[in-house]
Amino acid sequence: MTTKRRYDLDWLRVISVFAVFLHHVFMPFNGDDFHIMNSESSKLLDDVMVYFEQFRLPLLFFVSGVGTVFAFSKRNWKEFILERSKRLLIPLIFGVVILIPPQTYFENYRFYGAYTSEYPELLIKLKVNHLWFIENLFLLSLFLIPVILFFRSRNSEVLKSFIKKVTSKYGFIIWCLTLVVIRVITKYYFPEDDKSFMNPSTTLYFGFFFISGIIISSTTELWELLLKNKRKNLLYLILSSVLFYFYYFIPREYISPYFSLATRWSIWYVVCSLVSWSVIITILGYGQKFLNKGSELLKKLNEAVYPFYMLHQTVIIILGYFILQFEVSISAKIIILMISSFVSIVILYLTIIYPFSWVRFLFGMKNNQPKTSKSADENSF
Protein backbone atom coordinates (compact mmCIF):
# COMPACT_ATOMS: atom_id res chain seq x y z
CA MET A 1 0.00 0.00 0.00
CA THR A 2 1.24 3.46 -0.90
CA THR A 3 0.82 6.43 1.44
CA LYS A 4 1.85 8.97 -1.18
CA ARG A 5 -0.79 11.64 -1.59
CA ARG A 6 -3.11 11.05 -4.53
CA TYR A 7 -4.02 14.44 -5.93
CA ASP A 8 -6.28 12.83 -8.51
CA LEU A 9 -8.45 11.50 -5.69
CA ASP A 10 -8.51 14.94 -4.09
CA TRP A 11 -9.80 16.39 -7.36
CA LEU A 12 -12.35 13.59 -7.74
CA ARG A 13 -13.56 14.23 -4.18
CA VAL A 14 -14.05 17.92 -4.92
CA ILE A 15 -15.73 17.22 -8.27
CA SER A 16 -18.02 14.60 -6.70
CA VAL A 17 -19.23 16.95 -3.97
CA PHE A 18 -19.83 19.71 -6.50
CA ALA A 19 -21.81 17.20 -8.58
CA VAL A 20 -23.96 16.48 -5.50
CA PHE A 21 -24.49 20.23 -5.12
CA LEU A 22 -25.64 20.52 -8.75
CA HIS A 23 -27.88 17.49 -8.34
CA HIS A 24 -29.71 19.10 -5.43
CA VAL A 25 -29.98 22.42 -7.29
CA PHE A 26 -31.69 20.57 -10.15
CA MET A 27 -33.91 18.36 -7.97
CA PRO A 28 -36.80 20.84 -7.53
CA PHE A 29 -37.19 20.94 -11.32
CA ASN A 30 -36.97 17.32 -12.49
CA GLY A 31 -40.41 16.15 -11.36
CA ASP A 32 -38.98 13.81 -8.74
CA ASP A 33 -39.63 13.94 -5.00
CA PHE A 34 -37.58 16.61 -3.22
CA HIS A 35 -38.09 18.78 -0.13
CA ILE A 36 -39.25 21.68 -2.28
CA MET A 37 -40.68 21.32 -5.79
CA ASN A 38 -41.29 23.74 -8.63
CA SER A 39 -44.81 23.88 -10.07
CA GLU A 40 -43.37 22.90 -13.48
CA SER A 41 -40.80 20.23 -14.23
CA SER A 42 -38.41 19.34 -17.05
CA LYS A 43 -38.48 15.82 -18.49
CA LEU A 44 -35.20 16.48 -20.30
CA LEU A 45 -33.53 17.41 -17.03
CA ASP A 46 -34.83 14.22 -15.44
CA ASP A 47 -33.54 12.15 -18.37
CA VAL A 48 -30.05 13.59 -17.91
CA MET A 49 -30.00 13.40 -14.11
CA VAL A 50 -30.98 9.73 -14.04
CA TYR A 51 -27.69 8.90 -15.77
CA PHE A 52 -25.47 10.89 -13.43
CA GLU A 53 -27.29 9.45 -10.42
CA GLN A 54 -25.67 6.11 -11.22
CA PHE A 55 -22.14 7.17 -10.30
CA ARG A 56 -21.95 10.50 -8.43
CA LEU A 57 -22.38 8.93 -4.96
CA PRO A 58 -20.68 5.59 -5.76
CA LEU A 59 -17.59 7.57 -6.78
CA LEU A 60 -17.70 9.49 -3.50
CA PHE A 61 -17.96 6.24 -1.53
CA PHE A 62 -15.03 4.78 -3.48
CA VAL A 63 -12.85 7.83 -2.76
CA SER A 64 -13.94 7.66 0.88
CA GLY A 65 -12.87 4.02 1.05
CA VAL A 66 -9.41 4.98 -0.17
CA GLY A 67 -9.27 7.88 2.29
CA THR A 68 -10.28 5.56 5.14
CA VAL A 69 -7.31 3.30 4.41
CA PHE A 70 -4.97 6.30 4.48
CA ALA A 71 -6.55 7.49 7.74
CA PHE A 72 -5.93 4.06 9.26
CA SER A 73 -2.33 3.85 8.03
CA LYS A 74 -0.99 6.08 10.84
CA ARG A 75 -3.22 4.87 13.65
CA ASN A 76 -4.18 1.78 15.59
CA TRP A 77 -7.85 0.81 15.66
CA LYS A 78 -8.59 2.75 18.86
CA GLU A 79 -7.02 5.94 17.52
CA PHE A 80 -8.86 5.38 14.25
CA ILE A 81 -12.26 5.16 15.98
CA LEU A 82 -11.50 8.36 17.91
CA GLU A 83 -10.42 10.14 14.74
CA ARG A 84 -13.54 9.00 12.81
CA SER A 85 -15.73 10.11 15.69
CA LYS A 86 -14.21 13.59 15.66
CA ARG A 87 -14.34 13.96 11.89
CA LEU A 88 -17.67 12.25 11.19
CA LEU A 89 -19.83 11.60 14.26
CA ILE A 90 -19.55 15.06 15.82
CA PRO A 91 -20.32 16.87 12.52
CA LEU A 92 -23.24 14.47 12.01
CA ILE A 93 -24.73 15.30 15.42
CA PHE A 94 -24.12 19.01 14.86
CA GLY A 95 -25.76 18.80 11.45
CA VAL A 96 -28.83 16.97 12.72
CA VAL A 97 -29.30 19.55 15.49
CA ILE A 98 -28.49 22.75 13.57
CA LEU A 99 -28.49 22.21 9.79
CA ILE A 100 -31.38 19.81 9.20
CA PRO A 101 -34.27 21.50 11.12
CA PRO A 102 -34.33 24.50 8.71
CA GLN A 103 -34.81 22.05 5.83
CA THR A 104 -37.86 20.50 7.48
CA TYR A 105 -39.17 23.95 8.38
CA PHE A 106 -39.08 25.31 4.81
CA GLU A 107 -40.29 22.01 3.39
CA ASN A 108 -43.50 22.53 5.39
CA TYR A 109 -43.31 26.30 5.73
CA ARG A 110 -47.05 26.95 5.39
CA PHE A 111 -47.82 24.69 8.37
CA TYR A 112 -45.38 26.27 10.81
CA GLY A 113 -45.22 29.46 12.81
CA ALA A 114 -42.02 31.24 13.85
CA TYR A 115 -38.91 29.07 13.50
CA THR A 116 -37.78 29.58 17.10
CA SER A 117 -41.11 28.37 18.50
CA GLU A 118 -41.23 25.40 16.13
CA TYR A 119 -37.60 24.34 16.64
CA PRO A 120 -38.25 21.83 19.50
CA GLU A 121 -40.74 19.95 17.32
CA LEU A 122 -38.38 20.07 14.33
CA LEU A 123 -35.51 18.75 16.45
CA ILE A 124 -37.51 15.83 17.82
CA LYS A 125 -37.92 14.49 14.29
CA LEU A 126 -34.16 13.71 14.24
CA LYS A 127 -33.90 13.59 10.46
CA VAL A 128 -30.52 13.22 8.77
CA ASN A 129 -31.58 14.11 5.18
CA HIS A 130 -28.46 14.56 3.02
CA LEU A 131 -26.22 13.81 6.01
CA TRP A 132 -27.13 10.13 5.59
CA PHE A 133 -23.86 9.93 3.63
CA ILE A 134 -21.84 10.94 6.70
CA GLU A 135 -23.83 8.55 8.88
CA ASN A 136 -23.23 5.64 6.51
CA LEU A 137 -19.58 6.55 6.05
CA PHE A 138 -19.02 6.58 9.81
CA LEU A 139 -20.72 3.20 10.32
CA LEU A 140 -19.00 1.62 7.31
CA SER A 141 -15.64 2.83 8.63
CA LEU A 142 -16.25 1.13 11.98
CA PHE A 143 -17.80 -2.11 10.74
CA LEU A 144 -15.09 -2.60 8.12
CA ILE A 145 -12.13 -2.18 10.47
CA PRO A 146 -11.48 -5.96 10.28
CA VAL A 147 -11.45 -5.72 6.47
CA ILE A 148 -8.93 -2.86 6.55
CA LEU A 149 -6.74 -4.74 9.03
CA PHE A 150 -6.93 -7.85 6.88
CA PHE A 151 -5.77 -6.09 3.72
CA ARG A 152 -2.94 -4.46 5.68
CA SER A 153 -1.70 -7.84 6.87
CA ARG A 154 0.28 -10.54 5.12
CA ASN A 155 -2.70 -12.85 5.45
CA SER A 156 -4.29 -11.00 2.53
CA GLU A 157 -1.48 -11.75 0.06
CA VAL A 158 -3.17 -14.85 -1.36
CA LEU A 159 -6.44 -13.01 -1.92
CA LYS A 160 -4.66 -9.98 -3.34
CA SER A 161 -2.75 -12.21 -5.73
CA PHE A 162 -5.98 -13.85 -6.86
CA ILE A 163 -7.68 -10.49 -7.40
CA LYS A 164 -4.71 -9.17 -9.37
CA LYS A 165 -4.59 -12.31 -11.52
CA VAL A 166 -8.31 -12.26 -12.34
CA THR A 167 -8.32 -8.50 -12.95
CA SER A 168 -5.24 -8.69 -15.19
CA LYS A 169 -6.88 -11.41 -17.28
CA TYR A 170 -10.46 -10.14 -17.55
CA GLY A 171 -10.17 -6.45 -16.67
CA PHE A 172 -11.88 -4.45 -13.93
CA ILE A 173 -15.23 -4.91 -15.63
CA ILE A 174 -15.30 -8.43 -14.14
CA TRP A 175 -15.79 -6.82 -10.71
CA CYS A 176 -19.17 -5.64 -11.93
CA LEU A 177 -20.49 -9.21 -11.68
CA THR A 178 -20.31 -8.93 -7.90
CA LEU A 179 -22.01 -5.54 -8.00
CA VAL A 180 -24.82 -6.87 -10.23
CA VAL A 181 -25.47 -9.81 -7.91
CA ILE A 182 -25.57 -7.54 -4.87
CA ARG A 183 -27.84 -5.01 -6.53
CA VAL A 184 -30.34 -7.40 -8.08
CA ILE A 185 -30.74 -9.66 -5.06
CA THR A 186 -30.92 -6.93 -2.41
CA LYS A 187 -33.33 -4.82 -4.47
CA TYR A 188 -35.58 -7.84 -4.95
CA TYR A 189 -35.92 -8.39 -1.21
CA PHE A 190 -35.44 -4.79 -0.06
CA PRO A 191 -36.79 -2.55 -2.85
CA GLU A 192 -37.07 0.60 -0.73
CA ASP A 193 -34.91 3.60 -1.66
CA ASP A 194 -34.38 4.45 2.00
CA LYS A 195 -30.77 5.52 2.57
CA SER A 196 -30.72 4.17 6.13
CA PHE A 197 -27.73 2.04 7.09
CA MET A 198 -30.27 -0.62 8.12
CA ASN A 199 -31.46 -0.97 4.52
CA PRO A 200 -29.34 -3.78 2.99
CA SER A 201 -29.99 -2.71 -0.61
CA THR A 202 -28.43 0.69 0.11
CA THR A 203 -25.65 -0.31 2.48
CA LEU A 204 -24.39 -3.29 0.46
CA TYR A 205 -24.55 -1.33 -2.80
CA PHE A 206 -22.52 1.64 -1.58
CA GLY A 207 -20.46 -0.69 0.59
CA PHE A 208 -19.25 -2.40 -2.59
CA PHE A 209 -17.65 0.84 -3.80
CA PHE A 210 -16.28 1.61 -0.34
CA ILE A 211 -14.66 -1.84 -0.08
CA SER A 212 -13.40 -1.56 -3.66
CA GLY A 213 -11.60 1.60 -2.59
CA ILE A 214 -10.06 -0.30 0.33
CA ILE A 215 -8.88 -3.16 -1.90
CA ILE A 216 -7.48 -1.03 -4.72
CA SER A 217 -5.74 1.38 -2.35
CA SER A 218 -4.07 -1.61 -0.68
CA THR A 219 -2.67 -2.96 -3.97
CA THR A 220 -0.37 -0.80 -6.08
CA GLU A 221 -0.67 -3.09 -9.10
CA LEU A 222 -4.41 -2.46 -9.31
CA TRP A 223 -3.84 1.30 -9.58
CA GLU A 224 -1.43 0.59 -12.42
CA LEU A 225 -4.00 -1.60 -14.18
CA LEU A 226 -6.57 1.19 -13.98
CA LEU A 227 -4.14 3.52 -15.73
CA LYS A 228 -3.05 0.92 -18.26
CA ASN A 229 -6.58 -0.16 -19.23
CA LYS A 230 -8.20 3.28 -19.25
CA ARG A 231 -9.06 3.15 -22.97
CA LYS A 232 -10.62 -0.29 -22.69
CA ASN A 233 -12.63 0.89 -19.70
CA LEU A 234 -13.73 3.93 -21.70
CA LEU A 235 -15.11 1.55 -24.34
CA TYR A 236 -17.03 -0.30 -21.62
CA LEU A 237 -18.38 3.06 -20.42
CA ILE A 238 -19.62 3.99 -23.90
CA LEU A 239 -21.24 0.60 -24.49
CA SER A 240 -22.89 0.53 -21.06
CA SER A 241 -24.16 4.10 -21.55
CA VAL A 242 -25.74 3.20 -24.89
CA LEU A 243 -27.33 0.12 -23.32
CA PHE A 244 -28.53 2.21 -20.39
CA TYR A 245 -30.38 4.76 -22.48
CA PHE A 246 -31.66 2.13 -24.91
CA TYR A 247 -33.36 0.34 -22.04
CA TYR A 248 -34.40 3.63 -20.43
CA PHE A 249 -36.23 4.89 -23.53
CA ILE A 250 -37.59 1.63 -24.93
CA PRO A 251 -41.40 1.76 -24.82
CA ARG A 252 -42.81 -0.31 -22.00
CA GLU A 253 -45.31 -2.08 -24.25
CA TYR A 254 -42.43 -3.55 -26.28
CA ILE A 255 -41.06 -5.59 -23.40
CA SER A 256 -43.89 -6.00 -20.88
CA PRO A 257 -45.44 -8.96 -22.77
CA TYR A 258 -42.17 -10.89 -22.42
CA PHE A 259 -40.86 -9.93 -18.98
CA SER A 260 -42.56 -9.59 -15.62
CA LEU A 261 -42.28 -6.34 -13.70
CA ALA A 262 -39.74 -7.90 -11.29
CA THR A 263 -37.61 -9.06 -14.23
CA ARG A 264 -37.74 -5.63 -15.87
CA TRP A 265 -36.56 -4.02 -12.65
CA SER A 266 -33.74 -6.56 -12.41
CA ILE A 267 -32.62 -5.70 -15.95
CA TRP A 268 -32.70 -2.03 -14.97
CA TYR A 269 -30.43 -2.69 -11.98
CA VAL A 270 -28.02 -4.58 -14.24
CA VAL A 271 -27.64 -1.72 -16.73
CA CYS A 272 -27.39 0.81 -13.89
CA SER A 273 -24.62 -1.23 -12.26
CA LEU A 274 -22.73 -1.43 -15.55
CA VAL A 275 -22.83 2.35 -15.88
CA SER A 276 -21.85 2.92 -12.25
CA TRP A 277 -18.79 0.72 -12.36
CA SER A 278 -17.61 1.48 -15.91
CA VAL A 279 -17.73 5.23 -15.26
CA ILE A 280 -15.76 4.89 -12.02
CA ILE A 281 -12.98 2.67 -13.39
CA THR A 282 -12.67 4.96 -16.41
CA ILE A 283 -12.49 8.11 -14.30
CA LEU A 284 -9.90 6.52 -12.00
CA GLY A 285 -7.72 5.66 -14.97
CA TYR A 286 -7.87 9.03 -16.70
CA GLY A 287 -7.74 10.80 -13.36
CA GLN A 288 -4.27 9.37 -12.74
CA LYS A 289 -3.13 10.78 -16.07
CA PHE A 290 -4.69 14.23 -16.00
CA LEU A 291 -5.58 15.10 -12.39
CA ASN A 292 -2.68 13.82 -10.28
CA LYS A 293 -1.20 17.28 -9.79
CA GLY A 294 -1.26 19.32 -6.62
CA SER A 295 -1.85 23.05 -6.40
CA GLU A 296 -2.70 25.72 -3.83
CA LEU A 297 -6.21 25.87 -5.28
CA LEU A 298 -6.71 22.13 -4.77
CA LYS A 299 -5.46 22.43 -1.20
CA LYS A 300 -8.04 25.13 -0.43
CA LEU A 301 -10.87 23.28 -2.20
CA ASN A 302 -10.04 20.01 -0.49
CA GLU A 303 -10.19 21.71 2.89
CA ALA A 304 -13.51 23.38 2.14
CA VAL A 305 -15.28 20.42 0.52
CA TYR A 306 -16.56 18.84 3.76
CA PRO A 307 -18.28 21.94 5.22
CA PHE A 308 -19.49 22.76 1.70
CA TYR A 309 -21.22 19.38 1.57
CA MET A 310 -22.76 19.82 5.02
CA LEU A 311 -24.13 23.27 4.20
CA HIS A 312 -25.25 22.91 0.62
CA GLN A 313 -28.69 21.30 0.89
CA THR A 314 -29.85 23.55 3.73
CA VAL A 315 -28.88 26.65 1.77
CA ILE A 316 -30.47 25.32 -1.43
CA ILE A 317 -33.78 24.57 0.31
CA ILE A 318 -33.98 27.91 2.13
CA LEU A 319 -33.16 30.00 -0.94
CA GLY A 320 -35.05 27.68 -3.26
CA TYR A 321 -38.27 28.08 -1.29
CA PHE A 322 -38.39 31.75 -2.27
CA ILE A 323 -36.83 31.44 -5.74
CA LEU A 324 -39.39 28.85 -6.83
CA GLN A 325 -42.08 31.50 -6.37
CA PHE A 326 -40.52 33.77 -9.01
CA GLU A 327 -42.50 34.17 -12.24
CA VAL A 328 -39.60 33.20 -14.50
CA SER A 329 -38.62 30.16 -16.58
CA ILE A 330 -37.21 26.94 -15.16
CA SER A 331 -33.80 27.76 -16.65
CA ALA A 332 -33.75 31.17 -15.00
CA LYS A 333 -34.74 29.70 -11.62
CA ILE A 334 -31.99 27.08 -11.88
CA ILE A 335 -29.34 29.70 -12.68
CA ILE A 336 -30.50 32.01 -9.89
CA LEU A 337 -30.63 29.15 -7.36
CA MET A 338 -27.25 27.78 -8.42
CA ILE A 339 -25.39 31.09 -8.22
CA SER A 340 -27.08 32.39 -5.07
CA SER A 341 -26.61 29.07 -3.23
CA PHE A 342 -22.97 28.72 -4.22
CA VAL A 343 -22.12 32.31 -3.26
CA SER A 344 -24.00 31.98 0.05
CA ILE A 345 -22.17 28.77 0.96
CA VAL A 346 -18.79 30.32 0.14
CA ILE A 347 -19.58 33.40 2.24
CA LEU A 348 -20.72 31.26 5.18
CA TYR A 349 -17.56 29.17 4.91
CA LEU A 350 -15.17 32.12 4.71
CA THR A 351 -16.80 34.24 7.42
CA ILE A 352 -18.22 31.79 9.95
CA ILE A 353 -16.47 28.43 9.54
CA TYR A 354 -12.93 28.88 8.26
CA PRO A 355 -11.64 31.50 10.74
CA PHE A 356 -12.80 29.90 14.00
CA SER A 357 -11.31 26.70 15.42
CA TRP A 358 -14.39 25.65 17.39
CA VAL A 359 -16.63 26.02 14.33
CA ARG A 360 -14.11 24.16 12.20
CA PHE A 361 -14.24 21.34 14.76
CA LEU A 362 -18.03 21.12 14.46
CA PHE A 363 -17.70 20.84 10.67
CA GLY A 364 -15.07 18.09 10.85
CA MET A 365 -12.14 20.30 9.91
CA LYS A 366 -8.73 20.41 11.52
CA ASN A 367 -7.33 23.44 13.34
CA ASN A 368 -6.40 26.36 11.11
CA GLN A 369 -2.65 26.07 11.64
CA PRO A 370 0.20 25.72 9.13
CA LYS A 371 1.16 22.06 8.77
CA THR A 372 3.50 20.02 6.69
CA SER A 373 2.10 18.02 3.79
CA LYS A 374 0.45 14.81 4.82
CA SER A 375 -1.19 11.87 3.14
CA ALA A 376 -4.78 11.67 2.00
CA ASP A 377 -6.30 11.21 5.44
CA GLU A 378 -6.52 15.00 5.81
CA ASN A 379 -10.10 14.92 4.55
CA SER A 380 -12.94 13.08 6.26
CA PHE A 381 -14.29 12.03 2.85
Side-chain angles (χ1 to χ4, degrees):
M1 183 191 78
T2 178
T3 57
K4 182 180 179 181
R5 190 171 192 97
R6 296 296 305 267
Y7 295 110
D8 53 331
L9 296 180
D10 288 340
W11 276 116
L12 291 177
R13 179 186 299 114
V14 171
I15 293 170
S16 296
V17 171
F18 187 70
V20 173
F21 165 76
L22 292 179
H23 176 81
H24 288 144
V25 167
F26 297 148
M27 277 295 290
F29 309 97
N30 74 341
D32 209 337
D33 183 23
F34 192 54
H35 303 277
I36 53 173
M37 294 300 298
N38 193 50
S39 57
E40 296 178 304
S41 62
S42 169
K43 181 63 167 62
L44 176 60
L45 182 62
D46 188 47
D47 294 339
V48 174
M49 289 178 64
V50 71
Y51 179 78
F52 287 91
E53 285 176 1
Q54 308 310 318
F55 56 85
R56 58 183 179 83
L57 284 174
L59 178 59
L60 198 50
F61 271 99
F62 178 92
V63 174
S64 298
V66 176
T68 300
V69 173
F70 280 112
F72 211 131
S73 64
K74 297 182 178 182
R75 301 171 175 89
N76 58 41
W77 67 269
K78 293 181 180 178
E79 294 170 336
F80 175 77
I81 293 175
L82 179 60
E83 187 269 348
R84 293 289 90 176
S85 298
K86 289 180 179 179
R87 304 293 295 279
L88 295 171
L89 182 58
I90 290 177
L92 174 62
I93 295 172
F94 168 75
V96 169
V97 173
I98 301 299
L99 300 179
I100 300 303
Q103 297 183 24
T104 307
Y105 180 76
F106 279 92
E107 181 180 359
N108 305 279
Y109 186 79
R110 63 186 182 277
F111 301 116
Y112 287 125
Y115 179 78
T116 52
S117 62
E118 300 288 354
Y119 178 76
E121 179 183 342
L122 296 170
L123 182 60
I124 290 175
K125 295 180 183 297
L126 288 178
K127 292 185 176 182
V128 293
N129 289 7
H130 70 294
L131 300 183
W132 70 268
F133 172 77
I134 299 177
E135 176 188 21
N136 283 27
L137 182 56
F138 174 71
L139 294 173
L140 280 172
S141 299
L142 298 191
F143 279 101
L144 292 178
I145 286 177
V147 175
I148 300 173
L149 290 174
F150 172 75
F151 278 99
R152 288 178 60 186
S153 70
R154 293 183 177 180
N155 296 330
S156 65
E157 293 303 319
V158 174
L159 179 57
K160 286 182 182 178
S161 178
F162 173 77
I163 293 174
K164 287 185 289 186
K165 182 177 179 180
V166 172
T167 306
S168 297
K169 184 176 182 179
Y170 300 104
F172 272 96
I173 198 65
I174 196 68
W175 290 37
C176 196
L177 289 177
T178 302
L179 178 61
V180 166
V181 171
I182 291 173
R183 195 62 169 161
V184 171
I185 293 178
T186 58
K187 272 296 187 179
Y188 181 82
Y189 291 103
F190 307 94
E192 300 83 6
D193 287 328
D194 178 24
K195 297 299 191 296
S196 168
F197 188 79
M198 302 305 295
N199 182 6
S201 63
T202 295
T203 301
L204 293 178
Y205 173 68
F206 290 118
F208 169 85
F209 298 99
F210 190 84
I211 294 174
S212 296
I214 293 174
I215 296 173
I216 293 177
S217 65
S218 303
T219 314
T220 304
E221 292 84 353
L222 293 178
W223 283 119
E224 295 171 352
L225 281 174
L226 284 167
L227 180 61
K228 178 182 178 182
N229 296 329
K230 61 184 182 299
R231 291 185 179 179
K232 183 187 296 184
N233 293 334
L234 177 60
L235 177 61
Y236 290 135
L237 186 160
I238 296 172
L239 292 175
S240 64
S241 299
V242 171
L243 182 61
F244 174 87
Y245 270 116
F246 173 79
Y247 189 73
Y248 179 76
F249 284 117
I250 189 171
R252 186 179 304 174
E253 57 269 21
Y254 285 13
I255 60 174
S256 57
Y258 307 100
F259 301 104
S260 65
L261 180 60
T263 302
R264 298 200 303 271
W265 272 113
S266 295
I267 297 173
W268 173 246
Y269 296 134
V270 170
V271 297
C272 289
S273 298
L274 286 170
V275 169
S276 301
W277 187 242
S278 61
V279 169
I280 287 177
I281 59 178
T282 302
I283 289 176
L284 291 172
Y286 281 96
Q288 291 184 67
K289 182 176 181 179
F290 296 110
L291 298 178
N292 200 12
K293 300 174 184 177
S295 67
E296 190 63 26
L297 173 62
L298 176 59
K299 181 180 177 181
K300 295 296 184 183
L301 292 175
N302 199 43
E303 185 178 29
V305 71
Y306 192 11
F308 185 93
Y309 175 84
M310 292 181 63
L311 286 171
H312 83 277
Q313 184 163 293
T314 300
V315 173
I316 288 171
I317 290 174
I318 294 175
L319 295 179
Y321 176 82
F322 299 100
I323 293 172
L324 294 187
Q325 300 177 46
F326 293 174
E327 294 295 332
V328 295
S329 66
I330 289 179
S331 299
K333 290 180 181 180
I334 289 176
I335 293 173
I336 295 171
L337 180 57
M338 183 189 309
I339 295 175
S340 60
S341 297
F342 184 83
V343 171
S344 298
I345 295 169
V346 171
I347 291 174
L348 288 171
Y349 172 73
L350 292 177
T351 59
I352 297 177
I353 301 173
Y354 183 80
F356 306 106
S357 296
W358 66 275
V359 184
R360 293 170 65 91
F361 175 74
L362 293 175
F363 279 88
M365 300 175 67
K366 293 195 173 183
N367 290 333
N368 190 12
Q369 297 175 352
K371 292 188 179 183
T372 57
S373 177
K374 292 187 179 182
S375 60
D377 66 328
E378 290 300 308
N379 194 293
S380 296
F381 284 179

